[in-house]
Structure formats: structure tokens, C-alpha cells
Amino acid sequence: MSLISAGKEYPVGLSIVVPVYRGAATVGALVEALSALRPEGGIEIVLVNDGSPDNSGDVCRALQQSATVPLTYIEHARNFGEHNAVMTGLRHARGAYVITMDDDLQNPPEEVIRLYDHARLGNFDVVYTRYAVKEHEGWRNLGSAFANWVADQLMDKPKGLYLSSFRCMSALAVAEVVKYRGPYPYVDGLLMQVTQRLDSIEVKHFARAEGRSNYTMRRLIRLWMNLATNFSVLPLRMAILAGVGMGVLGLLAALYVIIEGMMGHTPSGWASLMTVTLLIAGVQFLILGVLGEYVGRSFMSANGKPQGVVREVLPARDEERAP
């Protein structure tokens, strides 16, 4: 079953891209639930095993053979990160619309049709999901809130739009996003560069069915760095402002010392000198760190650091099999 969208014919109406990491216990139930859906134009599933250390690969291979809908299995040679895995999946998706979602069943599969229909019937390029209640740990919710605040400051996106990994994208948006070949992709940042035809809907959010979140504080910080340095020069401009601010502060301090000396007072001594010295040194190292991050990422990109290395691809069988 094919679907015609924007004058083009696509082999399938909806592709579901799922990055898999430590998902052996949940990905089977997810595929089963998704296979029961009947979206306009048909459905396909793309599973990307991002170097998972458990037996997710074996589970996904078995699903590729037994699935009742077309299912493509892709395996990364090592762990590259969620956004890198999503980019690999998007390159293999064939749908007129593509939904990305996690493998942990926190996003209920029954919301997929609502999300797809909202994007398709509303002619949106990207539709995000938002949650009335998020069933994450407290620190994770704070991290997500901070990441969205940073995105508000750095990216050309509608203020307050919640950026979720459970999103629906048109084939147009996907085609533009996958042109990015750099080693540090941030899918939402790429989408903001492509289109402003955006919307969001509220969906349910469940607690994890198994295990713990694969996102650690270290992974969240790396995600924030990708956002801050790949899609904005604002950190560099802030470094300039910090330098100007310290210059003004130094000038005011010099005037204060001159006036103090002219009034016959002994200028403030070692404590104030060390305070100013440490303050200036701290700002200088901060500026050097920001510059170093930009230079380092440019160096890694120029040296061809891969966005993802695909070890294995098991292509989908286009014919649907009865359950």
C-alpha cells in the first residue's frame, strides 16, 4: 500500500524509527503493538540497534523475521548515541511521514495514529508531543526542562515548544535533515533549520516498563553541548560580552585605585588584587573553553569522525504477512 503526499508517491504512509539500546525486554512488545496499527497508507518499522550491550540484536533479528508488517533492522558497529541512531534510521525510512520514538514503552503506541493524523491532516512538517505528567525521575525532568530552556535561547524555535523524542516529521523535513553528515547531530536543531511549520499535541506518558533510563547526567551534558555549539554562535557572543564586561570592571577598578591614591589613602592590598586576578583568570579560561569546544568539534568533523557506522542491515519485506 502506497501513499501520495505533496504530489509524490511513497511506498508506505508511516515509518516508525526506534533507536534500540538495552531494549531487549521491551522492543518485542513495542513492535507487536505497532504492528496492530492501521494508519493511512500502511506502516513500516525501522529498528536501529545502537551498539546495545545486551541481546537486543538477537531479539531484533527475530522480530525482523516474524513481524507482520515490513520491519528493517540496522545494527551500529558501536554505540554512537541516540540522535546518531535516529539519523541512521531516518536514512532507511521510506514513509511519507516518519515518527521517532523510544524503545521503553513510555510513549504509548496507541498515540502514534493521533500524532500521524495530526501531522498529515494539518499539513505540518513536524509535530512534537508534550506531556501533562512526565513519568521520569526528578533529575531527568529538570534536565529536560533545562535543555528546552537552552533551546529557547539558542535556536529559532517557537518559545515554549517542548522538544520531545516522540515526534512526527514529513518526508520533506526528513530529506533535509539527513543531509547533515557531521558527527554531532541534534535532530531538533536540524529540524528548526528546515521548517517553521510546527505544532504539538498532548499525549500520555507512562513509567518505564523495564530497567532504568539510559540517559545519565554525562549523556545529557553531551546533548546540551551538541545543542549549544552546533546550532548557534551565541556562546561565542556571550564570551565576547564577558570579555567586555571584565574590561569595564577593570577600568572601574583602576579609576577607583587612582581616586583612592589621590585622596591620600593607601590603595587596597593583596586581598583585592587576588580577587580581581582570580576573577579575570576564571573568565579567560571560560572563554578559552568555549573557543576550544568549537575548535575541537571542527577538528573532529574535518578529520572525518563518523556519525554512525552500520555493521548490518536486514531490509524489510514489503509484503504484509497475516498475524
Side-chain angles (χ1 to χ4, degrees):
M1 183 184 301
S2 61
L3 181 74
I4 298 177
S5 177
K8 295 183 179 180
E9 184 174 356
Y10 296 89
V12 66
L14 177 63
S15 300
I16 309 289
V17 172
V18 183
V20 180
Y21 188 79
R22 297 186 187 274
T26 56
V27 69
L30 175 62
V31 168
E32 181 180 1
L34 292 175
S35 299
L37 302 178
R38 294 294 180 265
E40 178 73 22
I43 189 172
E44 71 167 359
I45 302 171
V46 180
L47 302 180
V48 184
N49 177 12
D50 189 34
S52 182
D54 62 4
N55 65 328
S56 292
D58 295 333
V59 172
C60 291
R61 290 186 192 92
L63 290 170
Q64 195 272 342
Q65 293 297 314
S66 62
T68 58
V69 299
L71 189 152
T72 298
Y73 171 66
I74 307 163
E75 183 174 304
H76 271 174
R78 49 152 291 182
N79 178 248
F80 287 90
E82 179 188 356
H83 286 253
N84 300 62
V86 168
M87 293 289 284
T88 296
L90 294 180
R91 291 191 174 96
H92 288 80
R94 304 173 298 163
Y97 286 85
V98 182
I99 286 179
T100 61
M101 63 189 305
D102 296 334
D103 63 357
D104 52 17
L105 295 175
Q106 289 193 270
N107 300 127
E110 57 267 25
E111 300 281 19
V112 164
I113 299 294
R114 282 187 59 225
L115 182 57
Y116 170 55
D117 286 344
H118 189 83
R120 179 174 60 89
L121 299 177
N123 199 27
F124 293 108
D125 287 321
V126 186
V127 177
Y128 286 97
T129 56
R130 60 184 187 275
Y131 314 110
V133 178
K134 288 189 67 178
E135 298 294 341
H136 283 314
E137 297 177 6
W139 71 268
R140 176 73 186 279
N141 288 334
L142 287 175
S144 296
F146 178 73
N148 272 275
W149 178 83
V150 172
D152 280 339
Q153 312 308 311
L154 299 181
M155 294 194 321
D156 183 21
K157 81 176 185 70
K159 296 296 182 183
L161 177 68
Y162 182 77
L163 301 180
S164 166
S165 60
F166 186 27
R167 58 174 93 79
C168 183
M169 299 167 280
S170 68
L172 168 67
V174 170
E176 293 300 314
V177 164
V178 298
K179 291 178 181 178
Y180 177 78
R181 294 286 178 173
Y184 305 104
Y186 184 73
V187 175
D188 300 310
L190 294 168
L191 287 171
M192 296 303 123
Q193 293 179 340
V194 170
T195 182
Q196 282 289 287
R197 192 175 289 181
L198 312 167
D199 202 13
S200 68
I201 63 171
E202 185 173 299
V203 298
K204 299 175 184 176
H205 193 253
F206 296 155
R208 288 182 66 90
E210 295 281 345
R212 301 172 58 186
S213 173
N214 293 316
Y215 262 105
T216 62
M217 184 57 69
R218 179 182 177 186
R219 286 175 178 265
L220 283 175
I221 290 174
R222 287 172 59 186
L223 184 63
W224 298 336
M225 293 301 295
N226 284 350
L227 167 60
T229 58
N230 281 18
F231 299 97
S232 175
V233 295
L234 184 59
L236 291 175
R237 291 172 180 165
M238 291 175 64
I240 294 173
L241 293 177
V244 171
M246 290 308 302
V248 172
L249 183 61
L251 178 61
L252 293 176
L255 291 175
Y256 176 77
V257 170
I258 292 172
I259 293 173
E260 194 176 28
M262 293 177 63
M263 295 178 63
H265 299 294
T266 302
S268 301
W270 185 86
S272 59
L273 177 62
M274 287 304 299
T275 299
V276 172
T277 300
L278 291 174
L279 181 61
I280 293 174
V283 172
Q284 287 176 334
F285 278 113
L286 174 64
I287 294 172
L288 286 174
V290 171
L291 291 173
E293 186 67 28
Y294 276 93
V295 172
R297 287 170 178 267
S298 297
F299 174 78
M300 298 300 287
S301 298
N303 276 276
K305 181 178 179 179
Q307 188 180 100
V309 176
V310 175
R311 182 189 301 278
E312 178 183 8
V313 177
L314 298 179
R317 302 176 181 182
D318 285 331
E319 71 274 9
E320 289 193 11
R321 297 179 292 277

